[in-house]
Amino acid sequence: MMDNEKEVLVEIRDLDVRYKTRLGPVSAVDDVSFDIFQGEILGLVGESGCGKSTMGKALMRLLPPATDIHGKVIFDGADVLTFSEDQLRDFRGRRISMIFQDPMTSLNPVQRIDNHLVETIQVHEPDTKETDALSRIRGLVERLGIQKERIEDFPHQLSGGMRQRVMISLGLVLNPSLIIADEATTSLDVIVEAKFLDELREILDEFGVSILVITHNIALVAELADRIAVMYAGRIAELGSIYSVFDNPLHPYTKGLLQSVPSIKLDEREVLYKMPGEPPNLTHPPPGCRFHPRCPEVMPICSNHTPSLLHVTSKQMVNCWLYQDHPEKDQPTIEVAT
Amino acid sequence: MNISPLSGICLGSLGIALLFIIFAFLRGSPGLRSYILTRVVLTLPMVFILVTVIFFIMRVIPGDPVTSQLGPRGTEAQREHMREQLGLNDPIMVQYVKYLGKIVRLDLGTALVLGNRPIVDELSERLPATIELTIPAMVIAVGFGVLSGAYAAQHRKKGVDYGLRLFSIAAYSIPVFWLGLILQVVFGIGLNIAPIAGRIDPVINIDLNRMTNILTLDALLTGNWRALGSALHHLFLPSLALATVLTGVFLRLSRINVIESLVEDYITAGRARGIRERVLVYRHALSNALIPIVTLIGLQFSVLLAGAILTETTFSWPGMGLYLVERIGQRDYTAVQGVILVFALSVAVISLLTDIIYAFIDPRVRY
Amino acid sequence: MKRHKLVLIASLLVIAAVVLAGCAPAEEEVKTVIIGVTDEISSLDFSDAYSTHDWELMRNVNVPLTDYIPGSAEVGPGIAESWEVSADGMSWTFHLSDGWKYPDGSELVAADVVRTVERALALDGDIHGVVEGYIAGIEAPDDRTVVIDLVNPRGDFPQIVSMAFTMPAQEGVFPADELVFFPEEGIVGVGPWQMVDYDPAEQVVLERNPNYKKGFGPDAPDRVIIRYFEDATSMSLAVENGDIDIAWRFLGIPETQRLAGIPGLSVITTGGGGIRYLVLNENREPMSDKNVRQALAYLLDRDEIVDRVMQGTVDPLYTMVPPGFMAAGEYFIDRYGAGADVSSAEDLLRASGYSEDNPLAFDLWYPPEHYGTHAAQIFQVLEQQFEATPLIQVNLQSQEWGTYVKACTADEYQACYLGWFFDYPDTSNYLDVFAESAMSDDMGIFYASETMDDLLHTAGSESDPAVRESLYTDAQELYAEDVVTIPMHFEVEKVVFRDETVSSVSIGPALIFDYELIVMK
Ligand SMILES: Nc1ncnc2c1ncn2[C@@H]1O[C@H](COP(=O)(O)OP(=O)(O)O)[C@@H](O)[C@H]1O
Ligand SMILES: [Mg+2]
């Protein structure tokens, strides 16, 4: 199997995240299991509010202290969820880093750019002298296309694209194994975004790091990622290689998502599919499959029993009763040809 | 020109202020430069207006310096003589112009009581005492207030947070003379570890060679460690009292600003880079929170002076505040006018400085 | 972590060092006594000073021609050992005694006295008016003799020259043509102390004059420091805590009562020259009517005020001259009885046409704080006492001190309340100011009586004590009869000292505090 050719970097098993709010617990991630491979780009897509960011933060344990987290996040053999504060600090930034959505607000406004970088190095390597740290970042910064003179600037003096490069350099400066890019390009304009994506891919190849690209923009994943995970209401609906999922989407939600992406061919002017309904309120998620109230292919069983994320081919997993057997099910289970 | 100690101190501190302004001007961006320039230029009419307002207020308030000094026993001739001496017989505009001329020459007139010494001389004895009291008080208030505010923010909604918030409200609302009295009774009488009043032990004072009249500074300069100890020891209660009253405001402002900063994205981003929580709170969040606090320092400066008046009275601390109280009691109009002038000018200069510091430390300020 | 601990330990050490430095008893063989006061220095020029505290400092540094006999209000030899008056009473000759030396070792000469007095006469200092009123000229025929010519004969002249303007000053200390309120080097004289350091806002340091003629007792202090406090509260806390050894004027009633209950502190009552009286403005209705004034004198019950309001901290006063001075007595008791006599008062009021329907109504003024916070209570009691008869309607008014004191002495009020403290210790200083027709106007009383003026003038110029005494007795009888003012009470002063360091202090009835008579442990 192709999957087995790659080494697993992160194993996520039975992950549950429940925010505590005054209105009751919010089940933002529910029973999620998947792997992230070394050197791959995994795209995590879904409508906003479906738990993608929570998922990303859970990997770094950046959630509010009161949040309930269960399950396992095995990174290089160790379970992140059992780390002590000190282990966590060491882990964050050095093994795994995150590029945030808004480069405007994700840099300390009163800290110079070089200081951000030097501080990040010194946090993890306290013995590094400032001059050494500075010389270390020089190459990286140049590689990312940030002019040398600009690194003594304050964040507000840089353009949005430049700031996002700074964010990437901050993510890369310690050579982590995984970078989580949460809506990292959402705030950029289209041209900058395209350029940025090209560079991002090049860099990743150079550095050999894995990336979890979190986005609501499925087109971006198509362009960038090796694999895609489609998330709906706290669960993974479908997971597989870009080619298999885009060629043959199995989950009704994935199908809907793909249909609602506009095609580039202007002359066709097709009427875009619009998925009915809204994502559920996660304080009170629907029973059974969380997608069933919106599902065009809904079956009686869907509202009573929860399906699991199972392989249907070696490259594709889906979380839907259409492809799974159950004693209470009337319709035949669909077999997918490999 | 004969430079009195007061003019020395005034010129000295103005010099330091000026140096800072020049420094900021040279280091700053063109935007900052034009901002500094406008701000300095705007200060001049402000000072002029202050000086003018003080002059006219002193003449409008009821009471007459001649009667208050001569008393009812003064003969008409004596009154006339005194009015002539004080220049009160001139038309008001002539008096005003003369007054402006004198101020430019740092001449604040002579006291109407107690030996009729030049006000400038009297103030130059008193101003250092006030500086010695207020600067440590401000430093303690800002230092403690800001740090404990950040601490409260870090431990938000826990016991310490509630405790500190309660303290800040209490500290803010306690009258300083009452707090001073409590401190005197507790530390001076109960524990008997601090002196009640005065600036230095009277016996040690004899051997202290006074140069600046800022006693800790004099003791340091002359290497008189005993005097330094005694001066600090005497400074303990008054600066604590004054600082406590100011602390509350800084604590609250710092807490709320740090709390606001802590939910900013750059804090989460820093956390994701493995930066320690403590560093995030006390360096990143606090350095952003400090910006509004600098402005507050400027605003609180007048509160500090008002507090100093009461603190000095409570602790028999012979500074400007005590002087003002004494001279109000003795209806020494020139002295009162002199003190108010010095207070008003220092508030003007401090607010100029804080505005420039604010613009200087906050890279985002748009001028 | 380690670094933080180090910082913590270091800062604790600094704090400890500071506390210790402050607490550690200074290794001093110099016996130092620290006296706290809430007074302040107004002037240190002998030819200018006219205030109690300035005089106290001067009396400890220098000696006038005549001086108080320690422990009494009587005047005896000062630097002059004897004196005589010319037959016409217009010229006094003072003979200086030998052995008076300044701290630098130089001898006192008569010209030193002439210098100060001439400056007081020539320069426009606070004492100028007083000196000018008595002295026409002064000269020193030789080093041991001073001759003073008077404006008018004064029998109390030896008392008058106990004031500071007769203290000697060495040549070159004070300029002849200018007053110097705060001499650069402090003041020097032939008294027991020399001023080695002073700062008017903080402290005065006195050390022994090694050449002091009378020498020092075995337990006298070597050094005296006067410390200035802003208020009685902090001064009382300072004596309690040991910052100062002696708390002197003005402690105030509540603080004295509090300190009296604290072990280790001694509270001593000293003499008092301060009197309080009611001004009845005779220039205005209704006080111009003698019947009215007498009626008020009948109605006043001083004991009630002393006991109920002042809780015995002051003594009732029945003439303007406090006990201890020549011819002092209880003239108001003799004339109006000790307690309230309502019926006599009513008779007088009816005789002046007042009735229940047409009562005597007047404004009675007092200052709310200057004389202590109990002033308001005194006046409530006073109002009740006066209104014991329906023929009187009192309207209490109060006014802040600055305005009050001017109005009270400038013919603006009908009746008000003031205090007086003597300038020089003689009966004349308690009567002339109020009853002599010219001076009376300045005090806002406006009393004028030829008989009274005669009595006072004759007594003033008389030098035979027996004759003076009888003249002043007559004057005070007339004073009571005419109710020039109503004497109310006189104040004693309190001094508090720490038993740990001080054994005793000696403060005479004239409130003269001789620091060299302090006995230290
Ligand atoms: N700190 C939080 N406290 C409570 N609820 C939260 C918190 N953060 C996110 N949520 C909720 O969790 C759900 C998932 O949010 P999020 O992970 O941000 O989704 P996405 O990134 O896919 O837009 C949403 O319903 C959101 O309201
Ligand atoms: Mg998100």
Side-chain angles (χ1 to χ4, degrees):
Chain A
M1 282 202 309
M2 200 181 150
D3 283 356
N4 295 340
E5 292 162 17
K6 292 193 171 180
E7 267 182 70
V8 174
L9 177 67
V10 194
E11 277 175 59
I12 296 144
R13 291 293 172 269
D14 311 326
L15 186 67
D16 276 321
V17 178
R18 232 174 282 268
Y19 290 112
K20 284 194 186 142
T21 69
R22 257 177 289 164
L23 300 172
V26 177
S27 170
V29 173
D30 185 64
D31 194 25
V32 168
S33 303
F34 65 95
D35 295 338
I36 300 172
F37 299 116
Q38 217 126 49
E40 77 162 344
I41 301 181
L42 173 62
L44 183 61
V45 296
E47 288 163 286
S48 78
C50 70
K52 305 180 300 290
S53 295
T54 306
M55 184 72 223
K57 287 180 187 160
L59 299 188
M60 295 186 81
R61 270 181 61 193
L62 277 176
L63 296 164
T67 314
D68 274 337
I69 314 175
H70 295 286
K72 287 194 168 83
V73 177
I74 312 236
F75 196 106
D76 270 356
D79 185 357
V80 176
L81 299 189
T82 62
F83 279 2
S84 70
E85 276 298 315
D86 280 340
Q87 282 173 303
L88 257 187
R89 254 201 311 275
D90 178 56
F91 169 74
R92 289 176 184 160
R94 199 171 59 78
R95 308 289 294 118
I96 184 168
S97 64
M98 193 177 242
I99 299 169
F100 289 83
Q101 170 167 3
D102 190 353
M104 305 291 270
T105 58
S106 302
L107 292 166
N108 183 344
V110 300
Q111 201 179 9
R112 291 174 196 278
I113 303 304
D114 52 355
N115 206 297
H116 277 89
L117 288 157
V118 170
E119 183 186 30
T120 309
I121 294 177
Q122 286 179 334
V123 161
H124 295 278
E125 299 159 28
D127 298 332
T128 314
K129 289 205 194 71
E130 186 169 334
T131 46
D132 297 343
L134 276 172
S135 63
R136 245 170 76 183
I137 59 183
R138 200 152 294 143
L140 174 71
V141 162
E142 248 167 72
R143 176 67 196 81
L144 282 168
I146 306 168
Q147 291 130 299
K148 267 197 301 255
E149 317 80 74
R150 306 306 300 268
I151 68 165
E152 282 180 23
D153 281 353
F154 285 100
H156 73 278
Q157 293 169 295
L158 302 180
S159 66
M162 201 56 81
R163 260 179 270 187
Q164 198 53 289
R165 286 161 206 262
V166 170
M167 290 308 294
I168 297 175
S169 68
L170 277 172
L172 285 171
V173 70
L174 291 161
N175 273 322
S177 311
L178 175 67
I179 296 181
I180 301 170
D182 189 349
E183 308 279 12
T185 60
T186 310
S187 64
L188 301 182
D189 62 67
V190 189
I191 297 176
V192 178
E193 183 179 19
K195 213 170 144 204
F196 176 78
L197 288 178
D198 287 343
E199 280 174 11
L200 194 58
R201 204 177 359 227
E202 275 177 43
I203 292 161
L204 296 172
D205 287 345
E206 271 171 50
F207 285 79
V209 10
S210 312
I211 309 200
L212 179 64
V213 176
I214 298 177
T215 178
H216 61 276
N217 181 353
I218 201 160
L220 186 128
V221 173
E223 195 174 326
L224 191 68
D226 303 315
R227 291 198 302 151
I228 180 170
V230 180
M231 206 169 167
Y232 182 79
R235 295 190 183 141
I236 304 285
E238 186 161 1
L239 176 83
S241 77
I242 282 289
Y243 303 105
S244 44
V245 172
F246 276 72
D247 286 350
N248 184 18
L250 296 176
H251 199 287
Y253 178 64
T254 318
K255 290 178 190 166
L257 266 188
L258 288 174
Q259 277 173 356
S260 59
V261 176
S263 143
I264 319 271
K265 294 170 204 154
L266 280 174
D267 47 338
E268 284 187 15
R269 292 248 167 196
E270 51 187 332
V271 180
L272 275 186
Y273 172 76
K274 206 162 170 303
M275 211 183 298
E278 302 249 305
N281 176 353
L282 294 179
T283 331
H284 299 286
C289 173
R290 288 183 175 182
F291 186 59
H292 83 261
R294 297 172 77 188
C295 186
E297 302 174 53
V298 64
M299 302 176 287
I301 185 176
C302 295
S303 53
N304 298 329
H305 296 280
T306 310
S308 328
L309 183 66
L310 296 177
H311 276 280
V312 284
T313 72
S314 62
K315 292 179 181 169
Q316 205 163 351
M317 300 171 87
V318 67
N319 191 350
C320 180
W321 281 126
L322 287 172
Y323 310 95
Q324 288 169 30
D325 277 328
H326 192 276
E328 284 176 33
K329 211 175 119 182
D330 327 321
Q331 278 105 324
T333 297
I334 301 171
E335 289 290 336
V336 181
T338 314
Chain B
M1 196 174 101
N2 180 18
I3 298 207
S4 74
L6 175 73
S7 18
I9 290 174
C10 286
L11 295 177
S13 42
L14 280 180
I16 294 173
L18 208 65
L19 278 182
F20 170 77
I21 293 174
I22 291 172
F23 169 77
F25 190 80
L26 294 180
R27 280 291 306 268
S29 58
L32 182 65
R33 277 182 206 174
S34 66
Y35 175 77
I36 291 178
L37 217 60
T38 351
R39 190 64 185 75
V40 170
V41 168
L42 280 179
T43 302
L44 297 178
M46 186 169 116
V47 165
F48 177 74
I49 290 170
L50 268 176
V51 165
T52 305
V53 165
I54 290 171
F55 173 84
F56 286 103
I57 285 183
M58 289 306 293
R59 266 130 201 98
V60 167
I61 52 169
D64 152 36
V66 174
T67 323
S68 79
Q69 290 323 304
L70 286 178
R73 293 211 230 173
T75 64
E76 205 37 58
Q78 280 175 309
R79 279 163 195 277
E80 196 46 40
H81 178 65
M82 188 156 179
R83 293 185 67 80
E84 197 57 51
Q85 261 190 335
L86 294 174
L88 295 175
N89 284 340
D90 295 335
I92 189 99
M93 284 325 282
V94 175
Q95 291 185 38
Y96 173 62
V97 171
K98 282 187 180 170
Y99 158 87
L100 287 184
K102 282 182 167 183
I103 285 177
V104 170
R105 278 173 277 131
L106 276 178
D107 174 0
L108 300 179
T110 55
L112 298 178
V113 297
L114 299 184
N116 313 104
R117 303 170 62 214
I119 301 291
V120 171
D121 288 357
E122 300 201 312
L123 293 187
S124 49
E125 288 165 12
R126 303 303 194 103
L127 187 58
T130 299
I131 291 176
E132 185 161 39
L133 171 66
T134 48
I135 288 186
M138 198 59 160
V139 169
I140 297 173
V142 174
F144 179 77
V146 165
L147 287 180
S148 55
Y151 189 79
Q154 188 187 358
H155 300 271
R156 198 179 165 198
K157 295 201 169 156
K158 301 220 180 90
V160 258
D161 181 29
Y162 290 115
L164 283 169
R165 282 162 75 186
L166 206 66
F167 165 79
S168 83
I169 294 168
Y172 187 67
S173 42
I174 289 177
V176 67
F177 55 87
W178 188 79
L179 178 68
L181 192 64
I182 299 292
L183 291 178
Q184 285 175 329
V185 170
V186 172
F187 288 95
I189 305 293
L191 303 171
N192 204 347
I193 55 163
I196 302 284
R199 297 177 67 192
I200 190 165
D201 181 276
V203 176
I204 294 174
N205 188 15
I206 297 172
D207 300 323
L208 177 62
N209 183 6
R210 292 195 183 193
M211 296 181 292
T212 62
N213 209 14
I214 296 176
L215 300 190
T216 40
L217 192 62
D218 288 339
L220 270 176
L221 290 177
T222 54
N224 187 339
W225 307 125
R226 244 159 63 88
L228 180 63
S230 176
L232 289 173
H233 198 203
H234 279 74
L235 193 53
F236 175 53
L237 291 186
S239 58
L240 189 63
L242 185 52
T244 306
V245 177
L246 291 170
T247 299
V249 189
F250 288 105
L251 200 160
R252 284 156 66 95
L253 190 72
S254 153
R255 174 181 176 275
I256 200 74
N257 277 303
V258 170
I259 285 177
E260 275 171 14
S261 301
L262 279 177
V263 299
E264 296 280 350
D265 289 344
Y266 59 83
I267 295 294
T268 320
R271 199 173 284 136
R273 268 176 273 142
I275 298 172
R276 277 172 196 281
E277 206 60 26
R278 204 163 359 109
V279 177
L280 288 172
V281 174
Y282 294 100
R283 192 186 298 158
H284 294 251
L286 195 56
S287 63
N288 280 279
L290 271 181
I291 291 163
I293 292 172
V294 169
T295 328
L296 187 71
I297 294 179
L299 294 176
Q300 285 297 102
F301 188 75
S302 47
V303 179
L304 176 77
L305 290 180
I309 296 175
L310 297 172
T311 312
E312 289 179 1
T313 314
T314 310
F315 289 94
S316 299
W317 188 272
M320 299 276 282
L322 188 53
Y323 179 79
L324 179 65
V325 170
E326 286 169 4
R327 293 308 162 92
I328 287 175
Q330 295 161 344
R331 331 217 129 212
D332 186 343
Y333 288 79
T334 11
V336 172
Q337 177 172 297
V339 175
I340 295 177
L341 197 68
V342 171
F343 276 5
L345 290 184
S346 46
V347 169
V349 170
I350 294 283
S351 79
L352 168 69
L353 276 184
T354 44
D355 280 0
I356 292 178
I357 292 175
Y358 180 92
F360 188 66
I361 61 169
D362 186 351
R364 291 162 304 178
V365 161
R366 283 181 237 290
Y367 315 101
Chain C
M1 267 290 121
K2 262 184 194 156
R3 224 179 58 201
H4 290 281
K5 268 184 195 150
L6 273 180
V7 170
L8 187 73
I9 291 171
S11 38
L12 282 179
L13 279 178
V14 168
I15 292 172
V18 167
V19 171
L20 284 179
C23 293
E27 285 172 42
E28 288 279 336
E29 30 342 334
V30 189
K31 267 182 291 171
T32 302
V33 66
I34 303 176
I35 303 171
V37 297
T38 63
D39 252 320
E40 64 193 340
I41 303 178
S42 308
S43 167
L44 288 179
D45 190 325
F46 301 128
S47 309
D48 171 57
Y50 193 14
S51 94
T52 322
H53 181 66
D54 296 341
W55 281 356
E56 177 172 315
L57 293 175
M58 291 178 174
R59 285 186 184 287
N60 277 285
V61 167
N62 213 340
V63 185
L65 278 176
T66 60
D67 203 356
Y68 293 85
I69 298 162
S72 80
E74 305 261 306
V75 161
I79 48 177
E81 59 189 346
S82 61
W83 47 86
E84 69 259 351
V85 60
S86 64
D88 61 357
M90 293 294 283
S91 173
W92 288 76
T93 304
F94 294 87
H95 304 283
L96 309 190
S97 52
D98 291 327
W100 296 102
K101 280 185 180 163
Y102 295 98
D104 65 5
S106 55
E107 291 254 357
L108 162 76
V109 290
D112 296 347
V113 179
V114 173
R115 193 169 292 124
T116 318
V117 176
E118 280 184 338
R119 287 180 75 244
L121 271 174
L123 303 174
D124 191 22
D126 282 351
I127 197 75
H128 174 73
V130 176
V131 179
E132 195 184 41
Y134 299 128
I135 297 180
I138 181 168
E139 57 178 356
D142 61 61
D143 276 356
R144 302 254 74 78
T145 313
V146 173
V147 178
I148 303 179
D149 296 327
L150 300 194
V151 177
N152 289 307
R154 289 299 306 191
D156 53 2
F157 197 63
Q159 277 74 33
I160 292 172
V161 294
S162 71
M163 284 193 266
F165 70 84
T166 68
M167 289 179 177
Q170 284 167 291
E171 193 168 5
V173 173
F174 288 104
D177 55 352
E178 198 187 352
L179 294 171
V180 181
F181 308 107
F182 297 96
E184 202 70 35
E185 302 295 327
I187 45 174
V188 280
V190 296
W193 303 98
Q194 52 175 324
M195 201 175 272
V196 295
D197 185 33
Y198 81 105
D199 175 342
E202 287 179 46
Q203 62 179 9
V204 168
V205 182
L206 303 174
E207 280 173 9
R208 288 183 179 189
N209 171 2
N211 304 317
Y212 179 51
K213 181 179 172 182
K214 295 184 183 167
F216 294 85
D219 294 314
D222 297 313
R223 178 156 66 196
V224 180
I225 297 177
I226 315 295
R227 266 194 65 183
Y228 295 95
F229 285 85
E230 183 51 23
D231 55 29
T233 314
S234 53
M235 182 164 81
S236 78
L237 290 172
V239 73
E240 186 180 353
N241 132 310
D243 285 358
I244 58 176
D245 302 298
I246 299 173
W248 179 218
R249 300 196 329 149
F250 299 94
L251 262 178
I253 292 169
E255 296 302 339
T256 331
Q257 284 176 339
R258 190 179 72 80
L259 292 177
I262 293 171
L265 296 179
S266 293
V267 180
I268 304 285
T269 302
T270 71
I275 62 164
R276 298 285 157 78
Y277 61 97
L278 287 183
V279 174
L280 307 176
N281 182 352
E282 288 161 41
N283 207 27
R284 278 178 183 259
E285 292 284 330
M287 298 304 168
S288 50
D289 181 351
K290 187 160 104 180
N291 283 355
V292 169
R293 303 199 301 269
Q294 289 182 334
L296 295 179
Y298 271 123
L299 289 168
L300 177 65
D301 180 353
R302 295 172 180 79
D303 287 335
E304 191 189 16
I305 291 174
V306 167
D307 295 342
R308 257 183 57 190
V309 183
M310 315 291 274
Q311 283 149 24
T313 52
V314 299
D315 284 329
L317 187 65
Y318 297 99
T319 182
M320 296 300 274
V321 183
F325 287 90
M326 171 192 281
E330 300 188 322
Y331 300 94
F332 272 72
I333 297 192
D334 301 343
R335 177 66 181 78
Y336 303 101
D341 181 349
V342 179
S343 64
S344 303
E346 286 182 341
D347 291 346
L348 285 165
L349 290 171
R350 284 188 207 285
S352 283
Y354 296 104
S355 65
E356 279 85 350
D357 301 329
N358 173 31
L360 162 68
F362 65 95
D363 291 340
L364 180 54
W365 292 80
Y366 67 94
E369 271 167 9
H370 184 77
Y371 290 124
T373 41
H374 47 256
Q377 290 161 286
I378 296 181
F379 278 82
Q380 274 153 20
V381 174
L382 208 54
E383 181 183 23
Q384 284 166 18
Q385 290 183 359
F386 289 157
E387 289 182 351
T389 162
L391 301 186
I392 292 187
Q393 177 64 50
V394 177
N395 184 17
L396 280 192
Q397 301 266 24
S398 84
Q399 175 63 263
E400 163 278 327
W401 173 250
T403 315
Y404 172 86
V405 67
K406 272 179 268 165
C408 182
T409 50
D411 191 22
E412 283 179 28
Y413 296 155
Q414 292 168 311
C416 49
Y417 176 76
L418 280 177
W420 175 253
F421 194 89
F422 66 85
D423 301 322
Y424 60 91
D426 192 81
T427 301
S428 60
N429 199 234
Y430 281 101
L431 291 174
D432 292 5
V433 248
F434 310 104
E436 203 269 339
S437 47
M439 297 190 190
S440 183
D441 293 358
D442 286 342
M443 299 298 284
I445 298 164
F446 301 97
Y447 173 77
S449 148
E450 275 179 31
T451 327
M452 182 65 93
D453 282 352
D454 272 353
L455 282 170
L456 294 176
H457 292 156
T458 324
S461 56
E462 181 57 56
S463 42
D464 178 351
V467 180
R468 289 187 83 215
E469 177 148 17
S470 92
L471 286 168
Y472 280 130
T473 306
D474 294 349
Q476 288 176 83
E477 274 165 3
L478 179 58
Y479 197 106
E481 175 62 29
D482 285 353
V483 199
V484 180
T485 60
I486 300 182
M488 302 240 327
H489 42 257
F490 78 102
E491 303 222 313
V492 288
E493 297 285 342
K494 304 276 182 179
V495 60
V496 176
F497 60 82
R498 291 179 67 78
D499 300 335
E500 203 184 319
T501 46
V502 176
S503 296
S504 73
V505 299
S506 144
I507 299 173
L511 281 192
I512 304 298
F513 191 169
D514 293 310
Y515 304 151
E516 75 275 17
L517 299 181
I518 296 170
V519 180
M520 314 253 326
K521 281 271 159 64

